[in-house]
Amino acid sequence: MAEMVKLYIDGKEVEVDKDATILDAAKKVGVHIPTLCYHADLSPTGACGVCVVEIEGSPTPKRSCCTPVAPGMKVTSNSKYLREIRKALVQLILSNHDVTCPTCPANEHCELQSLANYLGVDTDGLPTVLEKKPIDETSIAIVRDPNKCILCGRCVNVCNDIQTVSALTIADRGFDATIDTFFSLGMGNSACVNCGQCTVFCPTGALSERSEIDLVWDALLDPDKVVVVQEAPSIRATLGEEFGMEIGTVTVGKMYAAMRRLGFDVIFDTNFAADLTIMEEANELVERIKNGGALPLITSCSPGWIKFMETFFPDLAKYVSTCKSPQQMFGALVKTYFAKESGIDPSKIVSVSIMPCTAKKFEARRPEMRDSGYQDVDYVLTTRELVRMLKAADIDLKTLPDEKPDELMGMYTGAATIFGATGGVMEAAVRTAYWMLTGKDLPNLDIEAVRGMAGIKEAELDINGMKVKVAVAHGLGNARTLLTKVKEQIEKTGQSEYAFIEIMACPGGCVGGGGQPKGSTFAMRARRGEGLYKEDRELPYRKSHENPAIIRLYDKFLGKQGSELAHRLLHTHYFKRSNLDGACVEAVTEKHVHH
Amino acid sequence: MTIPRMHVLFPFDPDTLLSGVKEFEAALLKELKKRNLENEVKVLETGSIGVTGKGILMVVYPEGVYYSNLKISDIPRIVEEHFIKGRPVKEFFLGEVPARFVKREKLGLVREQRRVVLENAGIIDPENIEEYIATGGYEALEKVLTSMKPEEVIDEVKKSGLRGRGGAGFPTGLKWELTRKAEGDEKYIICNADEGEPGTFKDRLILEGDPHKLLEGMIIGGYAIGASKGYIYVRGEYELSINRMQKAIDDAYKYNILGKNILGTDFSFDLEIKKGAGAYVCGEETALIESLEGKRGQPRNKPPYPVTHGLWMKPTAVNNVETIANVPPIVMRGAEWFRKLGTEKCPGTKVFTILGHVVYPGLIEVEMGTTLRDIIFNYGGGIKDGKKFKGALVGGAAGVFVPQKLLDVKMDFDSLKEYKAVLGSGAILVLNEDTCMVDMLFSIIRFFKHESCGQCSPCRIGTYELYTLINKVRSGEAKEEDLEMMIGLSEVMNDSSFCPLGQSLIMPVKSAIENFREEFVAHFDKNYRCEKCRR
Ligand SMILES: Cc1cc2nc3c(=O)[nH]c(=O)nc-3n(C[C@H](O)[C@H](O)[C@H](O)COP(=O)(O)O)c2cc1C
Ligand code: SF4
Ligand code: SF4
Ligand code: SF4
């Protein structure tokens, strides 16, 4: 039993662990203390000072986010004096802030903006002391505007502690202190893997995705273009939040309706391609198991993870599945399969994807992702960008009717929908691999052991008497831990205890992706994941190989799994990258053959 | 072995080194040899004696004569007149020699000091462990290791009432007791020798003039708190200090005063020097610890305090150089003796650095509770060039501007607190009537803006705001509200900055504006002529 400490917050008695902070104790007893730099999932930096409270016997107020509790402590969480300090602090921060709320990507999602508003901060009098710094636009995925940075340190902490990428640091001292990358080369020339977690955690508009909204509007408004859209599995579980719906509500029918109202010409679903990914990947797993290929097989659908692997674990590249991510499989098919079936000139097709992810922007622009003869996916919008477009068009998701996607590449199974949560790809692949290996259905489709928010999850499956050990990691820090272990096992014994590993760059999987609504906590991510598992249970088909649209695709177009055409369109290869500037050093797996 | 009848000491510090003291020393040795005096007159190098700007210095015992501004061409005369004929050459005397540079001898007009921590500085050869031992050095350590339990040492220090000389005046015995009682398999003692305060060099004087005293205090402290490892974190620029201290440590190892089974007892202790990272804030104990751990020198939140979560999160006592140098005398002569010095609540002596417009800028060690007037007008010799006193910045950059009417304040932690002032590092910057207080405050704010680590927004942005506002005053664009805003801002910084650096700017800002308001108001007029602000 942990040692407990009793204290008083605004006269309310509360008992907490002796290592808890005053803020923890206040939360426990239901007292709200305003915060700004603090985030529940990160270690506190104490930068802003907004959470100060009075403690009996202490001459000055203390930061509740990082001051430990003490027995008998008497805390006052709010007073005229504290309010004055908090207001003055926010005023100070605003005096050093490029206050351009109306045009800011974080408008209405900015914690500084709402705190200033709630506290009733006055901005008169204090001189503006902002020395403008250049905006970092070197990255394909992420834009960093230092003039909106409040130096809360969240981005550094998430990149360093949770993702273990350490692309960002605080450089310089005093007033010149700023978030920076290695040698100030910019995020695009750093080890940054584009996961976008920093954009989710950033309380302001200092870190955001590189917006492609204008480009998409241009395409939608161009009568000569056929604009095809796909929506990633997790989008349906997060979109509703932004329209006042319960966290974790799955809004798939309304989502299609919204896409139609925005003016997309063809509404498909990434979930279709998720089922396809499973067919190819499960096939790859089965082949490797049967033929003694490289094991463990490691999933490849998270582009943040792929760049991380290329940068920090290039020697594990041969274990990583050659399957493209669903987004890119889909992209390659839109300009081939769909073009052929619909008789539309692929050069007229604009392929747009709605993703929970900033790394997908980077992935879509990788030079090897042009197997259709064109750039397979033209534009990638994050959930946040889509929400802005919907708001611009005054589309209220909540009140829309449920509609259906277009047929050819719109149908999907429960296996595809759970791709959006950590463990989902593993579970989906196992359902199909089991069937491929045994010709039978998995007795229990729900593999609970790989679900949920534990950082690294393991399970042992029984496939016809064969024991198969699998593992799941989400968040790159967890991935690093798991892979370091795998690497050691392989170096020592030539093999790993695991046969199959799922890795997602973002904590919680895609429902916690770097393109999802700002400020999402791990607890919120868990609830979104539960929404997807619920949809899975309710869908008529729950195994990818049962998807009629997939069966048709193989029949009419691809042939069988792993066919030459499938290889050309659906598989890829990897590079080794510099961990200083992220540049490709050399190819580390074989290029698939171009015909 | 012949016993020398005369000792000649050369204070080595950056000032004298620049003036060519080494060449001078070599020339003197040559002259002594020529005249066959080498065995009669012993030449020693010592640390700074707290005199600056007076060229090459030389102290001659037994008379205790202080020479200054010497040139090599003066050597034959001094040797002839003083060393042979016994008639000190008045012409080269250091001004009206203030007795503060002399041990207990009285000389000239001025009163004697009470030297405890500086008793050996400038008297013994700091590079010679035997000289330290000959003056009773390491007896305290021996006493502690052979006859006292750690708790008894802590008790003695507690009884002495010794309070930290690093600025905050925290009771040292209590700090040691908290560290000793804190849970932890390993504990550390760290000596804070970062001395970042502009113009201050009291710790340097101890490091360079009597390194073994500090070393002895550290080992006793380590024994008391239960540490087997200590660090001395020395300001990076103090090259001579680092070399002297290293020599002292090396010698101590040779004499089994450091290392395994010290002096044949069960106690083992290692000591290491770390070079400071250079920022002012690195002198703050938690930033110092971060820096020692190889990280960026930024303060941590307190609590938890270093006594429970210090270096590598282990219980750690961080003490100032002067604090630790007080320990061996306390152990040797007893708490009772120590309490006879100073005031009831602040026993002992304090080393002050007198800077600015005084006749004798330099260091003095006097009893706690000596009045500011006494320090400035007696020890400092009053205001230079017949000017009038205007005010004094007491306690360092984060100190308080004290006006004429408060000159009789007693210089100890508690008396100063009554006037919302602090003893700080013990620096006293004396200002004459020609000083512009706006310009003074400007310099202070600029210093803080430069030294803010940037970790917390109240200090990072607040110092820049204050800088912007004081510039408005300087250029004649400010109004009454701007002064209120400056005070308001520094109050917010005091209430919400992460560490004492940002918290303490309130003291100079408020005291300058409140005590010298007319001068600030005068600057509102664009036509006001100010030599300093409007050149
Ligand atoms: C900005 C700042 C700078 C400081 N610099 C020093 C310093 O140079 N030397 C020092 O001994 N203490 C310095 N201190 C005080 C230390 O934090 C600490 O209180 C002291 O070393 C404790 O020693 P003591 O108990 O012996 O006084 C500084 C504090 C602050 C806030
Ligand atoms: S996108 Fe991910 S890897 Fe890149 S800086 Fe942000 S958190 Fe780090
Ligand atoms: S970029 Fe955003 S998350 Fe990073 S320190 Fe600045 S405000 Fe905080
Ligand atoms: S008060 Fe200043 S020096 Fe101290 S932590 Fe904050 S920014 Fe750094």
Side-chain angles (χ1 to χ4, degrees), chain A residues 57-96:
Chain A
S58 161
T60 49
K62 294 275 175 202
R63 284 167 165 67
S64 58
C65 70
C66 48
T67 303
V69 295
M73 193 181 235
K74 291 196 175 66
V75 176
T76 305
S77 79
N78 206 356
S79 64
K80 187 166 166 13
Y81 166 61
L82 289 173
R83 268 184 61 79
E84 290 306 320
I85 295 175
R86 288 171 185 154
K87 280 165 85 160
L89 284 173
V90 175
Q91 186 186 4
L92 253 187
I93 292 168
L94 286 174
S95 78
N96 179 232

Side-chain angles (χ1 to χ4, degrees), chain A residues 45-49 52 59-63 66-68 73 81 84-85 88-89 92-96 124-131 149-151 170-177, chain B residues 279-282 296-298 301-305 449-465 468-469 472 482 485 489 492-499 503:
Chain A
T45 63
C48 74
V52 286
T60 49
K62 294 275 175 202
R63 284 167 165 67
C66 48
T67 303
M73 193 181 235
Y81 166 61
E84 290 306 320
I85 295 175
L89 284 173
L92 253 187
I93 292 168
L94 286 174
S95 78
N96 179 232
D124 274 357
L126 211 53
T128 298
V129 289
L130 179 67
E131 281 175 8
C149 175
I150 61 168
L151 282 167
I170 298 184
D172 276 330
R173 298 180 68 90
F175 192 73
D176 298 324
Chain B
Y280 175 55
V281 77
C282 287
R296 195 181 152 99
Q298 282 185 342
N301 191 55
K302 291 194 280 191
Y305 295 93
K449 173 175 94 65
H450 184 256
E451 295 301 338
S452 164
C453 81
Q455 177 173 219
C456 74
S457 42
C459 172
R460 174 173 58 91
I461 309 172
T463 49
Y464 203 89
E465 283 285 1
T468 310
L469 291 165
K472 267 176 99 177
D482 293 308
M485 196 175 283
L489 260 174
V492 169
M493 289 171 67
N494 177 56
D495 290 342
S496 62
S497 287
F498 195 84
C499 88
Q503 286 162 6

Side-chain angles (χ1 to χ4, degrees), chain A residues 339-359:
Chain A
K340 188 172 155 208
E341 296 276 323
S342 61
I344 297 170
D345 175 358
S347 70
K348 289 215 156 70
I349 297 177
V350 177
S351 169
V352 176
S353 66
I354 314 291
M355 290 288 139
C357 181
T358 43

